[in-house]
Amino acid sequence: KAGVTQTPRYLIKTRGQQVTLSCSPISGHRSVSWYQQTPGQGLQFLFEYFSETQRNKGNFPGRFSGRQFSNSRSEMNVSTLELGDSALYLCASSPLGGLAGAGANVLTFGAGSRLTVL
Amino acid sequence: QKEVEQNSGPLSVPEGAIASLNCTYSDRGSQSFFWYRQYSGKSPELIMFIYSNGDKEDGRFTAQLNKASQYVSLLIRDSQPSDSATYLCAVNAGNMLTFGGGTRLMVKP
């Protein structure tokens, strides 16, 4: 069974540019969550999608956006990049998210996309 | 603001000892609790989850939950150098997981 696939794995951008990251969840998983991980702030929740709908959003500016497609694949976009956006962006999938008990919302993480903003 | 607190460490234990990792959370509505392990440069991987008060054992790992005290812990018995990693506590209330900052564990041979 294939795991969570994130692309690209590494990318370098300059301030002001935008970036799109992609995530393919485990087959059958309908919930996709995105997290930003930095040494100083740890794992910070960005947003969660279920059946193409954003169910939850973390405390990030509007420059951070996402979407989910009908096949559960998800993308996140960061516009007008800032130096502080340099981070590891982690995507995680789960069968149902938080709807049905602890087992259904176990997150499986992808390898992450490491973004460096110069 | 829902918070999950962990001691950042490093927690250093000798090989073969018991490592005890602790986590407190602020949201009394939290329903399920997770422990993830993250090796340097890798993504988090699930160790175990717990949602009922008491202990849950899985091999060398035991998770302990006390909802009245809003406290979750992870015990690692017979610690091995390969257990050296950052351990992340995560708490679910609704549709999202909130992670603590992680505790770095070092197991010395």
Side-chain angles (χ1 to χ4, degrees):
Chain A
K1 193 175 186 181
V4 180
T5 303
Q6 291 189 247
T7 57
R9 290 290 314 279
Y10 302 91
L11 63 167
I12 300 174
K13 295 285 187 178
T14 57
R15 281 179 298 174
Q17 288 187 309
Q18 74 164 11
V19 65
T20 299
L21 308 177
S22 179
C23 172
S24 294
I26 290 172
S27 179
H29 284 194
R30 296 169 61 188
S31 171
V32 173
S33 300
W34 288 91
Y35 288 83
Q36 180 197 66
Q37 187 172 36
T38 59
Q41 298 297 319
L43 268 166
Q44 303 253 289
F45 174 75
L46 282 157
F47 24 66
E48 186 246 357
Y49 287 87
F50 180 83
S51 293
E52 303 178 66
T53 300
Q54 186 182 87
R55 290 197 301 190
N56 281 289
K57 189 177 190 305
N59 190 25
F60 278 81
R63 300 185 297 108
F64 292 81
S65 62
R67 59 178 176 170
Q68 186 180 34
F69 302 95
S70 59
N71 61 358
S72 293
R73 189 177 71 85
S74 178
E75 289 181 347
M76 68 162 283
N77 183 276
V78 188
S79 62
T80 320
L81 284 166
E82 301 177 358
L83 295 178
D85 297 333
S86 294
L88 179 66
Y89 290 87
L90 290 162
C91 167
S93 74
S94 66
L96 293 174
L99 291 179
N105 58 21
V106 170
L107 296 183
T108 301
F109 285 87
S113 293
R114 185 165 295 282
L115 170 65
T116 301
V117 182
L118 301 177
Chain B
Q1 177 79 12
K2 299 173 185 176
E3 293 184 347
V4 180
E5 300 287 342
Q6 295 181 257
N7 188 315
S8 62
L11 172 65
S12 182
V13 300
E15 183 175 356
I18 295 175
S20 178
L21 305 163
N22 304 315
C23 171
T24 59
Y25 59 95
S26 62
D27 185 0
R28 285 194 172 273
S30 300
Q31 300 162 343
S32 47
F33 309 84
F34 302 79
W35 284 100
Y36 283 82
R37 175 176 62 198
Q38 187 173 25
Y39 292 110
S40 180
K42 302 293 185 181
S43 59
E45 55 181 348
L46 180 74
I47 298 173
M48 61 193 306
F49 64 85
I50 185 169
Y51 53 86
S52 298
N53 276 328
D55 295 0
K56 179 181 179 182
E57 187 174 317
D58 184 358
R60 297 187 295 114
F61 299 94
T62 299
Q64 299 175 317
L65 173 61
N66 185 326
K67 289 185 178 180
S69 300
Q70 295 175 248
Y71 178 92
V72 191
S73 65
L74 180 70
L75 301 177
I76 306 174
R77 290 182 300 280
D78 188 24
S79 295
Q80 300 297 308
S82 59
D83 294 325
S84 297
T86 296
Y87 289 79
L88 300 164
C89 171
V91 174
N92 171 273
N95 299 323
M96 56 176 280
L97 285 190
T98 300
F99 283 81
T103 299
R104 185 177 161 217
L105 173 66
M106 297 174 59
V107 181
K108 296 188 175 180

